[in-house]
Amino acid sequence: IFCMSAKKDVGVAEFLDAIADFAVSPDQFPPRMATPSQGGDPIPVVASETGEFVGQVFKTINDKFVGNLSYIRVFSGTLTPDKHLFNSRTGKESRLAALLKIQGKANTTLPEARAGDILAVAKVEGLHIGDTVTTAPNGPKLPVPNFPVPMFSLAVEPKARGDEQKMSGSLSKIQDEDPSFKVHHDPSTHELVISGTSQLHLDIIQSRL
C-alpha cells in the first residue's frame, strides 16, 4: 500500500520507482490470446517490437479541442504515423495524423509506439472501447473486456423545450466513452432513460452533461 498525494507531489516518485522495480514488464507477462480473422484456435500475441502490430482501444474521449481521442495499448509490434490502422471489428481502414502521448491536459507527438506503450490517436472515426487495431487487413482480434451491467436507471428530460436533440446527442457521446452507461427510450412511458451502476455514477454523468 502506497500513501501519496498527487496534488502535493508527496510520495509520487517513490510510487513510480516501486512500479519500475516490482511490476511485470510486457515481455515477462503471459501473451494475450487473439482470434484469427479467418476463425480457428486462438493464437498468442507476443510482446515483441518486431512482430505484427496489434493494439487495443481501452479508452475514448470526445475532446472539444482535439475531437475524438482513442487511447491504445500496444501489445505487439511497432506503430509509426505513416502507417494505416485497420479496425478488426469493422474491417475499416483509417489514416493517422499523428501518434500522441497524453500527459494530463498536455500532449506531445511520438515518432513511434512499441509493444508495451500507451498512445492516443485523434480524429479516427469508428473506434470503440475494446476494438482491436492492426496495421494489416484481416488482423487478429483480442477479446473484448467485460464491463458491469448498469442496473440503476433514471428518466431524464431537458430543462428547456427544444433541447431534446442536443441532450440526446451529448448522452450518446458519453455512452461511447463509458461502456457501463446506457441510454434508451422507454416505449411504454415515452421517456428517455439513462442507466448506470449507481446513483453516484448517474450524478456524475448529469454533472458532465
Side-chain angles (χ1 to χ4, degrees), residues 145-158:
N146 292 319
F147 295 97
V149 177
M151 302 292 287
F152 195 92
S153 299
L154 287 175
V156 294
E157 59 182 23

Side-chain angles (χ1 to χ4, degrees), residues 79-81 98-102 108-113 117-120:
L79 180 66
T80 52
L99 308 181
L100 302 175
K101 178 182 179 181
I102 307 296
T108 55
T109 57
L110 293 170
E112 64 178 15
D117 285 345
I118 287 174
L119 71 142

